[in-house]
Amino acid sequence: MLNARYVKRGLFTFKNSLVRSKKSSIFRIIFRPNNVFNLYHTLSGKDLAKDIRKEAFQEILNIKKSHPNFSPTLKIIQVGSRPDSSTYVRAKLKASEDSGVNCIVEKLSEDISEFELLNKIDKINNDDSIHGLLIQLPLPKHLDETKVTNAVSYTKDVDGFHRYNVGELSKRGGKPFFIPCTPNGCMKLIEKAGIELCGKNAVVLGRSDIVGTPVAALLKDRNATVTVCHSRTTNLSEILAKADIVVAACGKANFVKGEWLKDGVVVIDVGINYIPDVTKKSGRKLVGDVDYNTCKEKASFITPVPGGVGPMTVAMLVTNVVLAAKKQLLKNETPLNITPLPLKIETPVPSDIEISRKQTPKHISTVAEELGIHKQELELFGHYKAKLSLDILDRLKDRENGKYILVAGITPTPLGEGKSTTTMGLVQALSAHLHKPAIANVRQPSMGPTFGVKGGAAGGGYSQVIPMDEFNMHLTGDIHAISAANNLLAAAIDTRIFHEATQKNDATFYKRLVPAKKGIRRFTKSMLRRLEKIGVNKTNPDDLTPEEINKFARLNINPDTITIKRVVDVNDRMLRQITIGEAPTEKGLIRKTGFDISVASELMAILALSKNLKDLRERVGRIVIGANYNNEPVTCEDVCCAGAITALLKDAIKPNLMQSLEGTPVMVHAGPFANISIGASSVIADRIALKLVGKQASESVAEDRDETGFVVTEAGFDFTMGGERFFNIKCRSSGLQPNAVVLVSTVRALKLHGGAPDVKPGQSLPYEYTQENVELVRKGVANLVKQISNARQFGVPVVVAINKFETDTEEEIEVIKKAAIRAGAFDAVTSNHWAEGGKGAVKLAEAVVKATKQESDFKLLYNVDSSVEDKLRAIVTKMYGGAKIEISPQAQQKIDMYKSQGFGNLPICIAKTQYSLSHDPKLKNVPTGFTFPIRDIRASIGAGYLYALAAEIQTIPGLSTYAGYMNVEVGEDGEIEGLF
């Protein structure tokens, strides 16, 4: 036994109380001649690595308690089948399993091209389910190791080889994402020994990027004085003789000799070398870069080979994977940080296009990055717009939704009351001024209104989508895709009627309908679905009987029942009714039909209501194009056109990403007309946006919903139209429930309802609108009260936004506020976002945030299983204030037909004027006691609703004498002029 005094050897002092075995190290006493003894300490990496793996396992279990889906995952790519690589991979796989880390090993062919390997790495980089990616080295000679290892994202580079991690490690005060495993393992062994590195003289023998250079940086970071040498360094033994710490990583067996070292040195041997050994079964022995037998006599601490640094390398790899998963989890739970663009407000407010041009937008990739959208989920269309992949929904499926806000309005004037502008201003206020993540979801403008009277839908003033000319024109071509798909269906219908009429022989017609290709006949997928529909359980075209052939091939479409019209995205009134088939080649198959505007088509409604591409395909197939002569519905699937239509819409189904004037994100998708169709942007855009601004679902944060962001979407025209359809049709389809409704009101509109003269586009406002008239406002405010009542029927809080104009007075606004609160609004706030941008809507945004924290009692207006007549009656009496409905004989006949076809239990919307709560645009304010006429009923079975036509509503608008297109020009620089 050693006595209780201190025994000094070199720089390090030990107590006899430390002479004992530990899990991580063992003290050895070696007696020399003349009773001189040496005390050295073996640093066991094997035992320490085991402890580290246990700690990792327990840490994963602890995190899973609050985040059940937490699963650190390592992907190892092994190119080729080198035995040594396979051995290392097995060790890493075993260590991962022991630590609770999911490890996926993918073995690739040795002759894989560099291009293929880099593509595979890129996909893994963008896969959030993979936290660490390791490329097992060495690689075959035809692959550039530096290029390949640097292709791994530095955020998944758990080896620590990426130039970013290496560079940050080398910088003073640098912050690498990961520390390389072997150097980190060396440092952990030194730390375990309790060695104080500050001021010590450390020599690193080896200058590789994998060990030598990074371990030198780590030692320097701990304030050691570091010398980096290599096997050819002059006077190496003299340099080593002064070292307090030696890290040997030169790759030469038994290179460092004990006589080179001073007493008490700490030796970390990183070498892995094989030398011949006849006593071993394999004929070779594993040794390090240090001559262990001679060096241990000088060392105070020394690592063995094997069992020293090697096990630590694998343990630190596991630790890095867990660290990567924790960083990913933290990133998922960190609120989005959307950097606003500064506004330079001018007075008077310039035109919309001038304001848009004076702002320099962010690159759209920056907007996407701020939203946490991955590179592979973004398809760029120029610098300022892009499409988003639906894969985002799958990636974020476990995230809680953000808050959902609907912007609707009172019954408007022909000039509009600024719902789009309010939507933009509200989101700019939420995101740029209150620093809450927020996305505006709006419809794509139709070029009908853009070139007509109403104008575009970008918002206005200092609250708009930019670039507004790109937004209001073609955008990414979605409406064109809708037009092409719709017109393909129309052509397919007329073509089918033609061929059935001109080919009387069933066998000949069937042979042409299902032709042989390379001697083989096959049914298409649509054909197989039709066979299933008619009860024929056969898949070989040659097996059908003559009766089955007739039943399958002859659709027998009654031309008088066809509901599909061709469409165009222009207000072309002369196409409302046309005659087709006049050419002699059409064999006298003449019929009357017409055009709709593209955004009134059923396909546009389907685009808005579909949840994904599969849902869209099913809905397209269900479109009822008309009936046969037995009054049975004929579908798009029967015409065998659903697949082609879906192909035309496969890109249109992806929402478009743009930004507001203050750089806040805007998603633009679908554009169904509000007076004819559902008047709301897409379900897909809403679902993606709600996930993007939501938060990770976990027990630790589930109770605190204040951290979620906001999605603000808009319903067209007044609440009785866009708002009612939003709830009864869109919410039924999406399953989403708004947290609040913002009801946009203006003094101007309430004066109109109070008895002021009509407002006409292109003409000066009558003086009643520019001068204070409290009495007109007091009379007209009944319309606002009614719309508040309408919105409250759905059980969500209502905030009234008073969109302020410069001629409005405080007395007029006060009348509105008091009436709104009495009517049950949660709050009523004046907003000046048109002139001030988001700053002018801060109070509105604060009111909305508070409203979303209120209890809600979400409910719908009617039961879909009620009769069609009862559903119509519920809308007219509860929303419009009418006394009863009057259904024309033609409409009743349609209702009876839809019931017999099994479509009576669908929700319904009513196409009517937007300028009155009633069917008559002349009836302002809150008319009551009126009879509401239903002149026709149509079916959008694919979209999933029926729609009634009231009075003389048109499905394609016309152009005015002085239309918007007259102002539009293109300058020599290619910039569009004259838009608003």
Side-chain angles (χ1 to χ4, degrees):
M1 290 284 294
L2 292 174
N3 60 26
R5 66 183 175 85
Y6 290 98
V7 179
K8 277 196 172 183
R9 299 274 315 158
L11 294 172
F12 301 101
T13 303
F14 311 96
K15 291 183 178 180
N16 66 344
S17 60
L18 294 178
V19 184
R20 64 184 184 275
S21 294
K22 295 183 178 181
K23 286 185 177 180
S24 59
S25 56
I26 302 175
F27 277 116
R28 305 286 188 185
I29 301 173
I30 298 178
F31 289 93
R32 295 180 179 175
N34 302 320
N35 293 321
V36 177
F37 65 86
N38 176 54
L39 182 66
Y40 77 94
H41 186 175
T42 301
L43 288 173
S44 171
K46 184 177 180 181
D47 292 333
L48 181 55
K50 185 177 180 181
D51 289 341
I52 290 172
R53 293 196 300 270
K54 285 182 179 179
E55 289 173 7
F57 187 86
Q58 189 59 50
E59 185 174 21
I60 293 170
L61 289 180
N62 291 339
I63 295 174
K64 278 181 173 290
K65 291 177 182 177
S66 57
H67 299 81
N69 295 322
F70 182 72
S71 179
T73 300
L74 170 66
K75 180 73 172 279
I76 300 176
I77 290 182
Q78 181 183 356
V79 181
S81 55
R82 284 178 53 130
D84 55 345
S85 290
S86 297
T87 299
Y88 295 142
V89 168
R90 284 194 297 271
K92 292 166 185 175
L93 181 61
K94 176 68 165 56
S96 298
E97 291 172 348
D98 291 345
S99 307
V101 169
N102 180 30
C103 185
I104 304 167
V105 178
E106 184 172 2
K107 295 186 178 182
L108 304 177
S109 171
E110 189 169 0
D111 60 359
I112 187 172
S113 70
E114 191 170 272
F115 177 79
E116 290 174 301
L117 179 57
L118 292 175
N119 270 347
K120 185 171 287 292
I121 290 171
D122 186 60
K123 288 181 180 178
I124 298 170
N125 284 340
N126 293 304
D127 185 349
D128 273 4
S129 67
I130 305 295
H131 303 105
L133 173 57
L134 184 152
I135 311 298
Q136 182 60 48
L137 302 179
L139 294 172
K141 291 183 178 180
H142 70 284
L143 299 174
D144 184 333
E145 283 192 0
T146 301
K147 187 175 182 180
V148 170
T149 53
N150 279 309
V152 176
S153 169
Y154 72 92
T155 63
K156 298 191 177 186
D157 170 39
V158 287
D159 256 338
F161 295 165
H162 191 279
R163 59 169 64 94
Y164 172 86
N165 289 319
V166 172
E168 285 295 305
L169 184 63
S170 301
K171 287 165 53 179
R172 183 177 181 181
K175 295 181 179 179
F177 216 78
F178 299 107
I179 297 173
C181 299
T182 300
N184 201 11
C186 293
M187 298 302 292
K188 293 294 182 184
L189 285 167
I190 294 173
E191 289 173 13
K192 189 67 177 179
I195 305 301
E196 174 56 56
L197 290 171
C198 183
K200 297 299 187 296
N201 186 15
V203 174
V204 178
L205 181 57
R207 51 187 172 174
S208 73
D209 292 334
I210 295 175
V211 180
T213 299
V215 82
L218 289 170
L219 288 165
K220 283 191 292 184
D221 191 57
R222 298 286 292 276
N223 296 317
T225 301
V226 182
T227 304
V228 178
C229 301
H230 50 85
S231 60
R232 298 180 183 179
T233 298
T234 305
N235 299 324
L236 179 60
S237 60
E238 295 177 12
I239 297 171
L240 289 171
K242 299 176 182 178
D244 301 322
I245 300 104
V246 173
V247 179
C250 61
K252 290 184 176 291
N254 296 324
F255 181 73
V256 178
K257 308 302 181 185
E259 57 265 27
W260 297 356
L261 306 177
K262 72 178 184 180
D263 287 341
V265 67
V266 176
V267 180
I268 305 296
D269 191 352
V270 187
I272 297 178
N273 309 284
Y274 287 95
I275 60 173
D277 188 340
V278 295
T279 66
K280 300 290 183 181
K281 184 177 180 180
S282 62
R284 60 179 189 168
K285 177 184 178 181
L286 178 63
V287 297
D289 291 351
V290 168
D291 183 1
Y292 187 81
N293 289 328
T294 61
C295 289
K296 70 185 180 182
E297 295 187 4
K298 294 288 190 69
S300 56
F301 293 86
I302 188 169
T303 58
V305 177
V309 175
M312 289 299 297
T313 298
V314 180
M316 300 322 296
L317 172 67
V318 169
T319 300
N320 277 349
V321 177
V322 176
L323 176 62
K326 287 162 60 180
K327 287 185 175 184
Q328 178 67 51
L329 182 62
L330 179 63
K331 181 180 178 182
N332 290 343
E333 293 195 332
T334 301
L336 301 177
N337 182 20
I338 298 169
T339 305
L341 296 174
L343 282 184
K344 296 179 181 179
I345 304 293
E346 295 182 28
T347 305
V349 177
S351 70
D352 293 350
I353 192 71
E354 287 181 88
I355 293 172
S356 176
R357 291 245 170 90
K358 288 178 181 178
Q359 181 66 290
T360 301
K362 304 174 191 175
H363 195 282
I364 198 63
S365 61
T366 301
V367 179
E369 185 178 354
E370 291 176 341
L371 282 174
I373 295 168
H374 292 183
K375 181 179 67 175
Q376 82 279 7
E377 296 166 343
L378 194 71
E379 298 176 22
L380 299 179
F381 279 72
H383 299 302
Y384 306 125
K385 54 185 184 289
K387 278 195 166 292
L388 300 181
S389 169
L390 273 61
D391 291 343
I392 296 171
L393 285 172
D394 185 60
R395 177 170 64 85
L396 302 180
K397 63 181 180 298
D398 296 324
R399 185 176 288 187
E400 293 181 17
N401 286 342
K403 300 292 182 66
Y404 195 27
I405 314 299
L406 172 67
V407 176
I410 64 169
T411 307
T413 68
L415 302 179
E417 308 318 307
K419 286 191 310 301
S420 298
T421 308
T422 301
T423 299
M424 290 302 126
L426 175 56
V427 169
Q428 289 175 202
L430 286 166
S431 196
H433 297 271
L434 298 185
H435 309 294
K436 297 180 182 295
I439 302 174
N441 277 10
V442 297
R443 289 173 293 163
Q444 179 181 346
S446 164
M447 283 189 284
T450 296
F451 291 135
V453 173
K454 185 177 181 294
Y462 287 101
S463 296
Q464 59 171 297
V465 187
I466 58 171
M468 62 92 72
D469 50 347
E470 294 185 27
F471 173 82
N472 280 305
M473 301 294 281
H474 303 277
L475 200 60
T476 57
D478 293 349
I479 292 181
H480 301 319
I482 289 287
S483 300
N486 184 94
N487 294 341
L488 171 64
L489 176 57
I493 294 166
D494 286 314
T495 297
R496 186 60 173 262
I497 292 173
F498 173 85
H499 287 303
E500 286 190 31
T502 56
Q503 298 180 60
K504 303 298 184 183
N505 184 283
D506 285 353
T508 303
F509 178 54
Y510 178 61
K511 188 175 181 180
R512 290 176 177 172
L513 187 64
V514 192
K517 294 182 179 180
K518 296 182 180 181
I520 301 174
R521 299 176 74 194
R522 288 191 178 93
F523 289 123
T524 66
K525 289 183 178 179
S526 283
M527 289 176 178
L528 290 171
R529 293 191 185 198
R530 171 153 177 80
L531 286 167
E532 183 181 356
K533 176 182 175 180
I534 63 175
V536 176
N537 187 25
K538 295 177 181 178
T539 58
N540 185 347
D542 296 328
D543 290 346
L544 268 64
T545 66
E547 292 78 13
E548 290 170 340
I549 287 173
N550 178 270
K551 192 175 183 180
F552 165 78
R554 300 288 178 181
L555 300 182
N556 294 319
I557 299 170
N558 180 351
D560 295 336
T561 67
I562 295 174
T563 57
I564 301 299
K565 296 182 178 181
R566 287 158 177 83
V567 299
V568 63
D569 194 33
V570 176
N571 292 355
D572 193 346
R573 65 188 305 136
M574 293 302 170
L575 294 177
R576 287 172 176 169
Q577 183 171 309
I578 62 171
T579 302
I580 61 172
E582 294 277 8
T585 53
E586 305 317 301
K587 311 291 186 183
L589 294 174
I590 298 170
R591 71 181 181 92
K592 286 186 177 181
T593 181
F595 273 71
D596 288 334
I597 194 164
S598 299
V599 290
S601 66
E602 182 173 358
L603 283 179
M604 180 57 86
I606 287 174
L607 182 68
L609 293 172
S610 296
K611 293 180 180 178
N612 48 47
L613 188 61
K614 180 181 179 182
D615 186 31
L616 182 139
R617 170 63 179 80
E618 295 301 317
R619 287 173 179 270
V620 169
R622 292 198 299 266
I623 293 174
V624 172
I625 62 95
N628 60 21
Y629 286 102
N630 293 326
N631 213 30
E632 298 166 333
V634 179
T635 66
C636 180
E637 202 76 78
D638 293 327
V639 184
C640 298
C641 202
I645 288 173
T646 306
L648 286 170
L649 300 181
K650 75 176 183 66
D651 291 321
I653 198 173
K654 302 170 186 175
N656 306 292
L657 181 66
M658 294 189 75
Q659 64 192 287
S660 75
L661 204 62
E662 294 190 60
T664 60
V666 178
M667 290 176 65
V668 188
H669 200 212
F673 249 25
N675 57 349
I676 301 165
S677 187
I678 62 169
S681 63
S682 77
V683 168
I684 287 174
D686 288 353
R687 291 177 68 212
I688 290 176
L690 286 165
K691 292 298 182 185
L692 288 172
V693 302
K695 65 182 180 184
Q696 194 74 13
S698 67
E699 293 179 10
S700 62
V701 293
E703 298 302 318
D704 179 13
R705 296 195 59 86
D706 290 345
E707 296 178 10
T708 61
F710 296 81
V711 174
V712 182
T713 191
E714 176 194 347
F717 292 128
D718 75 339
F719 189 87
T720 63
M721 298 179 70
E724 180 269 318
R725 297 165 194 180
F726 179 90
F727 281 99
N728 285 318
I729 296 178
K730 186 177 179 181
C731 289
R732 285 184 200 272
S733 180
S734 69
L736 300 171
Q737 299 179 9
N739 299 95
V741 170
V742 174
L743 203 58
V744 180
S745 171
T746 62
V747 170
R748 180 178 66 189
L750 296 179
K751 284 182 176 180
L752 174 66
H753 292 299
D758 284 346
V759 174
K760 296 181 180 179
Q763 296 183 13
S764 299
L765 285 172
Y767 78 91
E768 287 89 346
Y769 294 96
T770 59
Q771 302 296 319
E772 181 178 273
N773 194 320
V774 177
E775 189 58 30
L776 284 176
V777 176
R778 187 172 285 113
K779 291 178 180 178
V781 83
N783 185 271
L784 170 63
V785 170
K786 171 59 177 169
Q787 297 287 20
I788 293 171
S789 172
N790 287 342
R792 291 190 68 206
Q793 289 187 63
F794 294 94
V796 296
V798 178
V799 175
V800 172
I802 305 169
N803 189 11
K804 190 177 187 302
F805 290 74
E806 59 185 358
T807 56
D808 300 343
T809 68
E810 288 303 318
E811 289 78 7
E812 291 171 330
I813 290 172
E814 192 60 27
V815 169
I816 299 173
K817 288 183 177 180
K818 288 181 178 179
I821 299 301
R822 283 198 302 268
F826 174 78
D827 204 348
V829 184
T830 305
S831 187
N832 196 18
H833 43 272
W834 180 80
E836 298 179 5
K839 179 182 176 183
V842 167
K843 289 184 178 179
L844 172 62
E846 290 173 341
V848 168
V849 171
K850 291 177 182 176
T852 60
K853 298 176 183 179
Q854 305 303 303
E855 293 292 330
S856 61
D857 181 25
F858 182 80
K859 50 183 173 289
L860 297 170
L861 193 67
Y862 53 76
N863 188 325
V864 289
D865 293 325
S866 300
S867 69
V868 174
E869 294 88 346
D870 283 346
K871 285 178 282 195
L872 289 170
R873 195 172 292 112
I875 295 172
V876 169
T877 58
K878 295 179 181 180
M879 286 282 111
Y880 306 162
K884 60 181 179 179
I885 58 173
E886 182 179 82
I887 301 175
S888 72
Q890 176 191 4
Q892 189 61 57
Q893 185 179 3
K894 291 275 194 74
I895 290 172
D896 295 340
M897 178 181 70
Y898 294 141
K899 286 179 180 178
S900 68
Q901 293 174 342
F903 305 136
N905 62 343
L906 293 175
I908 193 163
C909 72
I910 300 176
K912 74 175 190 69
T913 178
Q914 64 268 32
Y915 298 127
S916 172
L917 287 169
S918 74
H919 60 286
D920 185 352
K922 296 178 182 178
L923 298 178
K924 303 300 183 186
N925 213 346
V926 186
T928 57
F930 56 87
T931 298
F932 194 90
I934 304 294
R935 68 176 173 88
D936 196 8
I937 297 279
R938 297 179 184 174
S940 292
I941 305 305
Y945 62 86
L946 305 176
Y947 66 101
L949 300 178
E952 300 302 318
I953 193 72
Q954 298 293 333
T955 55
I956 183 168
L959 291 167
S960 61
T961 305
Y962 181 77
Y965 67 83
M966 295 180 178
N967 294 312
V968 178
E969 288 288 350
V970 179
E972 293 181 2
D973 57 359
E975 288 193 338
I976 297 172
E977 302 170 355
L979 279 175
F980 328 115

